[in-house]
Amino acid sequence: MKIIYSVIFLTLISCGKSTSQNQAKKNQIPKEEIVELDTENKYLDSICKIETKNAEKDIKQNKLTYFHYLGMVVQYRSNEEMNKLLSNYNIGIGSASYYCTVPSELQNCYAHKMRQEIDKRYGEKFIDSLRTIAEKQYVENNLNKVYDFQECDTISRYPNDKNYKDFFKNYKNDFFKIAKYPEGFEFRKEKDKYSWISADFTLHKDGTVTNIDIELKFQNEGNYKYSSYYTKKLKEFILNTKWIPAKSMGLTVTSKVPLTIHFK
């Protein structure tokens, strides 16, 4: 079930690279900078201990808080619904930021302690189960929304596909059954350069298609004389296909569908 929607991939990747590179170069940086880093970590450790004690104090007073994280972490669309569900258990809401430049064990110590206590009292699957309910409630509350492709469940939008992976290859193969390469078409000569045609369209809950937007790019300039041919063929292909409406949390929704087809 897909409940993760927006992960800042580039930041995570760069973060990982920065961390590993810094670790690899640690022996090369001046000793005074290492001392400064150790001093900073000691300061963060002291802050963490204070936050942990404050959390323990609040827990004794039966004050629990669930934290939504910001930064280089998973972002959810259903926080409003999640907050309402948590209020039924008298669990408050907070927010915290996560930084890749700070050791994970030394940041958000108050939030970590709170999460441990929530898991202890209600079970380790408690938050995940509430999130699933919140996600479904979000979709129920937003049935008229046009959902992004990645927000939807992993089902194929293309008819007769056996699985989700088939979607990304079968429509391409079928397109070239109706859009033959014209005589005189110049095939690409450089392997690292591509010619492609792409489309974005809206697939409605009833299976109808609107808002078709087509773009194409040819490596060989001479192929642009076939632009109208391929644009027409792709539009016909989209309109004549009985696309399968998307689902999000098992509910049928209107969604955006992106297609990309590469030429030889």
Side-chain angles (χ1 to χ4, degrees):
M1 178 166 39
K2 189 173 183 180
I3 60 175
I4 299 176
Y5 299 99
S6 177
V7 181
I8 311 179
F9 292 105
L10 294 178
T11 310
L12 278 171
I13 293 171
S14 63
C15 219
K17 287 182 178 179
S18 177
T19 302
S20 61
Q21 289 171 353
N22 289 339
Q23 196 69 23
K25 295 180 180 179
K26 189 173 183 180
N27 295 329
Q28 301 175 15
I29 50 182
K31 289 184 178 180
E32 57 269 21
E33 291 189 23
I34 295 178
V35 171
E36 184 179 341
L37 181 62
D38 290 339
T39 301
E40 181 181 350
N41 284 343
K42 287 179 181 179
Y43 170 75
L44 292 172
D45 182 62
S46 66
I47 295 297
C48 180
K49 289 178 180 178
I50 293 172
E51 288 188 3
T52 300
K53 287 182 180 180
N54 288 337
E56 291 172 346
K57 180 181 177 181
D58 287 344
I59 289 170
K60 287 181 180 179
Q61 296 178 4
N62 208 33
K63 296 179 181 178
L64 296 180
T65 305
Y66 172 80
F67 283 80
H68 297 296
Y69 282 89
L70 307 173
M72 289 69 70
V73 290
V74 173
Q75 304 292 310
Y76 292 96
R77 60 189 178 178
S78 59
N79 285 345
E80 184 177 338
E81 287 77 11
M82 186 70 169
N83 295 347
K84 291 180 181 178
L85 291 172
L86 288 166
S87 68
N88 295 329
Y89 298 86
N90 294 317
I91 298 176
I93 301 300
S95 61
S97 297
Y98 181 81
Y99 304 95
C100 66
T101 54
V102 179
S104 59
E105 68 275 10
L106 296 180
Q107 60 179 308
N108 300 316
C109 296
Y110 184 96
H112 288 321
K113 188 64 180 179
M114 280 291 173
R115 179 57 186 269
Q116 289 177 354
E117 184 64 23
I118 292 173
D119 289 347
K120 179 181 177 182
R121 292 193 187 188
Y122 297 101
E124 293 183 356
K125 296 182 179 179
F126 172 71
I127 292 298
D128 287 343
S129 64
L130 282 191
R131 180 59 73 178
T132 299
I133 295 171
E135 284 292 312
K136 188 168 185 178
Q137 287 181 349
Y138 174 88
V139 178
E140 291 172 340
N141 294 335
N142 295 276
L143 288 176
N144 293 324
K145 173 184 173 180
V146 179
Y147 287 80
D148 288 334
F149 189 86
Q150 63 271 19
E151 283 189 272
C152 302
D153 299 345
T154 51
I155 62 170
S156 177
R157 315 287 191 273
Y158 196 62
N160 301 319
D161 282 353
K162 294 181 180 180
N163 56 58
Y164 188 61
K165 291 182 180 180
D166 286 346
F167 170 80
F168 299 99
K169 61 180 181 181
N170 285 349
Y171 75 79
K172 301 174 186 179
N173 295 333
D174 289 347
F175 172 71
F176 282 113
K177 291 179 182 178
I178 65 164
K180 305 295 184 180
Y181 285 104
E183 185 176 350
F185 186 91
E186 298 181 60
F187 297 101
R188 66 189 180 98
K189 300 174 183 177
E190 300 179 52
K191 292 184 178 180
D192 60 341
K193 292 185 178 180
Y194 294 89
S195 298
W196 47 264
I197 185 169
S198 67
D200 290 287
F201 61 88
T202 302
L203 175 60
H204 295 267
K205 290 181 284 186
D206 61 1
T208 57
V209 168
T210 59
N211 303 322
I212 301 175
D213 183 25
I214 298 176
E215 294 184 9
L216 58 74
K217 180 178 178 61
F218 289 113
Q219 174 192 347
N220 300 309
E221 295 290 331
N223 286 333
Y224 278 104
K225 59 179 173 285
Y226 306 117
S227 296
S228 59
Y229 167 75
Y230 279 112
T231 298
K232 178 182 177 182
K233 285 296 183 181
L234 184 55
K235 188 173 182 179
E236 289 176 356
F237 176 76
I238 292 171
L239 291 174
N240 292 332
T241 297
K242 294 183 179 180
W243 302 94
I244 301 170
K247 291 187 176 183
S248 185
M249 299 304 295
L251 300 172
T252 303
V253 296
T254 297
S255 68
K256 297 178 182 178
V257 180
L259 306 178
T260 299
I261 299 169
H262 289 93
F263 297 102
K264 292 182 180 180

